[in-house]
Amino acid sequence: MRVMGVDPGLTRCGLSLIETGKGRTVTALDVDVVRTPADMELAQRLLMIADAAEYWMDTHKPNAVAIERVFSQLNVRTAMGTAQAGGVVALAAARRGIPVAFHTPSQVKSAVTGNGAADKNQVTTMVTRILGLQVKPTPADAADALALAICHCWRAPMLERMAQAEAAALEQKKRYEAKVAQVRKEARVR
Amino acid sequence: MRVMGVDPGLTRCGLSLIETGKGRTVTALDVDVVRTPADMELAQRLLMIADAAEYWMDTHKPNAVAIERVFSQLNVRTAMGTAQAGGVVALAAARRGIPVAFHTPSQVKSAVTGNGAADKNQVTTMVTRILGLQVKPTPADAADALALAICHCWRAPMLERMAQAEAAALEQKKRYEAKVAQVRKEARVR
């Protein structure tokens, strides 16, 4: 499975590509950071990011796109820009029929370091170790994009099993309710 | 000038088209609300909104797209969705070379009612009156999209004049600084 990881942002948007191997083995295929100038119009900045993400998707053909879910940030304006950058990447994936998953920063940190509150340095160190890289990926956005893709590779099978279990439980509940309704109906008929 | 107004949102996204006439005359050409189901995946919802906005742009060929600028909302999750919906519409406009402008809710309210803190009812009433509509536009998202386009029609010439004045001031400042530098240089040479 090839997973594209995206650390969204207007000023710096991290893009990464990871391939899964046997078990928990993951290999980094590519990583890059798209930058857009702060004095450029918002719509043009989004266009630059969308163009870069689409080029990656068309070149690397990922099986899934994992994007960081933004909940809140200290700066509301930055948070909006981050959400919009993530939105245009999600749109590009949807247009190509590539499934999109969102992971929160704490899910990503927890997946790669075992601690949901780990700092940037710890994340970078673990990403470097997990992928067996010679040098630490910089800037932090590149490391984050790699961490996101790793998190998706490891969480995706678990999420799939959970979704299957939930669907099975729902199915069982429906069957049970149908049975109860049937019994009640028969009781009324007698 | 034809202006497309957008009141962004994931659940309901208002779209409107307004044409300017002489002076402050504005005519409504079209208005609609795009709805996406809450249980649909985010990427698919953004795709539905982007498709609708692109269809509008290709059909109506607006000269400008005016989108509501989201600063903050009580619900952070809703605010993110709103920002993303606005982002994909801005992207669609940028791809077509259509200029995009953002106006804050208070700028819109102030433009149509004269009061930046007007309530939804007041905005709807004024939009109905300004456009000479037979019935009030519903839901509120439709009225808001119309208000946004009206706001843009009235603010755009002013913003353009301001931009020209600022550019002229900057040009003058540069000329002045060049002159000062020239005088200093000559003073040193002597």
Side-chain angles (χ1 to χ4, degrees):
Chain A
M1 185 171 71
R2 275 186 177 198
V3 175
M4 181 171 153
V6 182
D7 180 33
L10 282 180
T11 309
R12 284 183 307 277
C13 183
L15 302 177
S16 77
L17 197 77
I18 295 279
E19 190 152 72
T20 50
K22 274 189 186 170
R24 283 165 70 90
T25 319
V26 281
T27 315
L29 299 183
D30 202 351
V31 65
D32 200 6
V33 173
V34 183
R35 291 160 204 270
T36 73
D39 57 356
M40 195 184 244
E41 274 188 27
L42 174 61
Q44 292 300 324
R45 299 179 82 178
L46 291 174
L47 182 57
M48 273 184 76
I49 292 164
D51 280 347
E54 296 195 347
Y55 180 78
W56 266 61
M57 289 175 199
D58 293 339
T59 312
H60 294 306
K61 314 257 183 228
N63 304 105
V65 175
I67 306 175
E68 189 174 285
R69 185 190 295 280
V70 195
F71 269 121
S72 67
Q73 279 181 355
L74 289 175
N75 186 331
V76 177
R77 208 183 171 121
T78 310
M80 295 298 160
T82 307
Q84 287 171 328
V88 299
V89 176
L91 173 70
R95 276 213 197 292
R96 285 159 179 76
I98 306 170
V100 181
F102 290 88
H103 304 285
T104 64
S106 64
Q107 285 167 342
V108 175
K109 287 173 188 171
S110 175
V112 297
T113 73
N115 172 10
D119 62 15
K120 284 202 174 291
N121 202 17
Q122 212 179 331
V123 171
T124 303
T125 304
M126 280 309 293
V127 163
T128 313
R129 199 176 297 169
I130 292 164
L131 296 170
L133 304 175
Q134 299 292 318
V135 289
K136 286 187 181 183
T138 53
D141 314 79
D144 282 348
L146 288 165
L148 249 147
I150 297 171
C151 167
H152 184 77
C153 292
W154 291 351
R155 283 192 83 215
M158 185 194 71
L159 292 176
E160 206 170 297
R161 280 198 302 277
M162 270 177 62
Q164 281 172 0
E166 270 173 25
L170 191 70
E171 188 56 39
Q172 201 169 21
K173 193 184 162 201
K174 269 189 194 158
R175 274 205 303 272
Y176 174 76
E177 282 170 352
K179 206 173 168 183
V180 168
Q182 182 64 26
V183 169
R184 282 199 181 139
K185 202 178 156 192
E186 286 176 6
R188 271 201 299 277
V189 169
R190 269 171 217 159
Chain B
M1 185 172 70
R2 277 187 173 195
V3 176
M4 180 169 154
V6 182
D7 179 31
L10 281 179
T11 309
R12 286 183 306 277
C13 183
L15 302 177
S16 77
L17 197 77
I18 295 279
E19 190 153 73
T20 49
K22 273 189 187 171
R24 281 165 72 90
T25 318
V26 280
T27 315
L29 299 182
D30 202 351
V31 65
D32 200 6
V33 174
V34 183
R35 291 160 204 270
T36 73
D39 57 356
M40 195 183 243
E41 274 188 27
L42 174 62
Q44 292 299 323
R45 298 179 83 179
L46 292 174
L47 182 57
M48 274 184 77
I49 291 164
D51 281 347
E54 296 195 347
Y55 180 78
W56 266 61
M57 289 174 197
D58 294 337
T59 312
H60 293 306
K61 313 254 181 232
N63 304 105
V65 174
I67 306 176
E68 190 176 284
R69 185 189 296 277
V70 195
F71 268 122
S72 67
Q73 277 180 357
L74 291 174
N75 186 332
V76 177
R77 208 182 171 122
T78 309
M80 294 297 158
T82 307
Q84 287 171 327
V88 298
V89 176
L91 173 69
R95 277 214 196 292
R96 284 157 181 76
I98 306 170
V100 180
F102 289 87
H103 303 285
T104 65
S106 64
Q107 285 167 340
V108 175
K109 287 173 188 171
S110 175
V112 297
T113 73
N115 171 11
D119 62 15
K120 283 202 174 290
N121 202 19
Q122 211 179 331
V123 171
T124 303
T125 304
M126 281 308 294
V127 164
T128 312
R129 199 176 296 169
I130 292 165
L131 296 170
L133 304 176
Q134 298 292 315
V135 289
K136 285 186 181 180
T138 54
D141 313 79
D144 282 347
L146 287 165
L148 249 147
I150 296 170
C151 167
H152 184 76
C153 292
W154 291 351
R155 284 192 83 213
M158 184 192 73
L159 292 177
E160 206 170 301
R161 278 198 303 275
M162 269 174 65
Q164 279 172 0
E166 269 174 25
L170 191 70
E171 187 57 39
Q172 202 168 19
K173 192 183 163 202
K174 269 190 196 156
R175 273 204 305 271
Y176 174 75
E177 282 171 352
K179 207 172 167 182
V180 168
Q182 182 64 29
V183 169
R184 282 198 182 139
K185 203 176 154 190
E186 286 175 6
R188 271 201 300 277
V189 169
R190 272 172 216 156

